[in-house]
Amino acid sequence: MEHGLYSDLSKSTFSLVNEDHTFSNSVRFTLNQDPRVTFCGYSIPHPSENRVNVRVQTTGDPASEVLKDGCQDLMLMCQHVRSTFGKAVNDFKTSKSVRSTSEKSVSESDDDMDT
């Protein structure tokens, strides 16, 4: 839900349900990297409420559009991290299996030399 003035779309507060510090801090960080943003912060009204308020003020662009762009940027960052991590895990598994295969080959050749 957006709380703001219809006369000034560059300043709005967005109430997001079922979100917490994880998303809020990430989107705050992403939005503060955007040169169109003059202020971005968030608050959690009460610890027992599963809601967060995100305040966005821009240089003139509609705050809702800037928030949407920030969420899309955050999604792209998460996809990049996920794919980079997945590739690193696969590379590790591959190198581990190659290493264990080569270690077996070395130990088998050592055993052959002993006989």
Side-chain angles (χ1 to χ4, degrees), residues 38-83:
T38 57
F39 174 81
C40 180
Y42 76 94
S43 65
I44 296 180
H46 193 275
S48 65
E49 276 187 69
N50 203 11
R51 181 172 61 100
V52 66
N53 294 324
V54 178
R55 176 73 176 172
V56 180
Q57 294 176 210
T58 69
T59 57
D61 294 18
S64 59
E65 291 299 314
V66 174
L67 177 63
K68 186 176 103 177
D69 292 346
C71 290
Q72 288 175 339
D73 290 346
L74 180 60
M75 185 177 68
L76 291 172
M77 282 188 247
C78 290
Q79 288 172 346
H80 174 72
V81 168
R82 188 176 193 178
S83 67

Side-chain angles (χ1 to χ4, degrees), residues 6 24 27 34-36 38 44 46 58-59 79 84 94 99 106:
Y6 291 115
S24 304
V27 79
D34 190 326
R36 298 175 295 173
T38 57
I44 296 180
H46 193 275
T58 69
T59 57
Q79 288 172 346
T84 302
T94 303
R99 197 174 332 152
V106 169

